[in-house]
Amino acid sequence: MTGKELDIVTQKSLTGLTPENATYVARHLVMSGRLLDDNPEMAWQHAQAAQRRGGRVAVVREAAAIAAYTAGHFREALAELRTVRRMTGDDSFLPMMADCERGLGRPERALDLALSPEAGRLDEDGRVEMLIVASGARRDLGQTAAAVVGLQVPELRTAQEAPWRARLLYAYSEALADAGRAAEARDWLERAAVADVDGETDAAERLDELAGYSFSEEELPAAPRPSAPVTDASDGSDTSGEGR
């Protein structure tokens, strides 16, 4: 592993560093990317190492943000995302920022971001990602009917090839379950399992667990909500310098 495994755009972004630092940062970025799915905590450690020497490069801060988010370090992820957004002016990080707020136990702030003018300018992918986060925030607040309505968008049935399709179907199933609409929730969970060819959700596992379960009067057991490992009441502001 030399660091040249990075894509050419990322390699070029490191040219402002000294050759020694660029190589060091690149190697840690490669390792962070490789470990992200199987060992997110170790991926976060590698991303931090890259950030310490390459923190003025936006792509390095973005890698640190994604690693922190994946590892459940929502306060750190939020700080990094804010920094990346300031450095690049890119609002596409807003859904992840909102999800960090939800992970920190602050669903009201997640909804504030979802309703912001900047969120209204997101492209389709970003808009749907934000709808998913906002629905989860509504569920956190006990607003189950609003959580369902918020996901009743044309993309539920029309976006067959979209990268977020399985997660949208899954989120809709969760919202229906929380609203006590068990049969519909089961139906949409099955749709999510079919759509989830990459294993982004646990829809298939939940269906296996529910095999033989009767839904005549009972509710579909809701999937566990994201835990909030960080309970700091601060706003997550970055002291050094953005919402799946």
Side-chain angles (χ1 to χ4, degrees):
M1 189 269 297
T2 66
K4 295 189 180 299
E5 295 86 352
L6 293 174
D7 64 86
I8 191 65
V9 174
T10 302
Q11 289 186 50
K12 286 184 177 180
S13 72
L14 302 179
T15 56
L17 304 175
T18 66
E20 179 185 0
N21 270 355
T23 298
Y24 177 92
V25 169
R27 287 175 174 173
H28 280 289
L29 289 180
V30 171
M31 288 306 302
S32 181
R34 287 180 177 178
L35 293 168
L36 197 60
D37 292 333
D38 298 328
N39 193 338
E41 185 60 37
M42 185 60 69
W44 165 227
Q45 297 302 319
H46 279 286
Q48 285 183 290
Q51 195 256 34
R52 282 192 287 270
R53 290 204 190 180
R56 60 190 175 90
V57 180
V59 71
V60 176
R61 304 301 287 261
E62 181 180 349
I66 293 171
Y69 174 80
T70 305
H73 300 299
F74 299 118
R75 181 168 60 86
E76 291 84 353
L78 185 58
E80 293 293 340
L81 287 166
R82 286 172 172 164
T83 299
V84 175
R85 190 175 175 218
R86 281 196 295 270
M87 295 171 77
T88 65
D90 188 352
D91 287 332
S92 68
F93 300 106
L94 283 171
M96 191 181 293
M97 290 173 65
D99 207 30
C100 286
E101 294 286 12
R102 187 185 173 211
L104 287 166
R106 303 190 300 228
E108 296 92 346
R109 293 193 185 186
L111 290 174
D112 286 343
L113 282 174
L115 296 173
S116 67
E118 295 82 1
R121 295 192 289 268
L122 293 171
D123 62 14
E124 182 186 48
D125 289 354
R127 184 178 64 83
V128 173
E129 295 286 1
M130 188 64 92
L131 287 174
I132 293 171
V133 176
S135 178
R138 296 286 186 194
R139 291 171 52 229
D140 294 342
L141 292 168
Q143 300 172 4
T144 55
V148 171
V149 172
L151 293 179
Q152 290 176 340
V153 292
E155 289 83 356
L156 269 177
R157 300 180 184 277
T158 61
Q160 300 296 322
E161 304 299 326
W164 35 257
R165 176 168 172 74
R167 286 180 288 107
L168 176 61
L169 301 179
Y170 187 85
Y172 190 53
S173 171
E174 288 185 304
L176 289 167
D178 271 14
R181 296 163 62 174
E184 292 172 88
R186 174 69 178 259
D187 175 57
W188 286 96
L189 185 63
E190 291 174 348
R191 299 186 195 200
V194 171
D196 192 5
V197 295
D198 295 323
E200 291 185 283
T201 74
D202 64 348
E205 290 83 356
R206 288 187 65 210
L207 283 173
D208 287 342
E209 293 172 1
L210 295 171
Y213 188 86
S214 172
F215 296 97
S216 56
E217 298 295 333
E218 298 130 308
E219 292 184 2
L220 179 72
R225 293 174 178 164
S227 59
V230 180
T231 56
D232 188 349
S234 70
D235 64 0
S237 298
D238 183 22
T239 57
S240 61
E242 183 185 41
R244 109 243 299 160

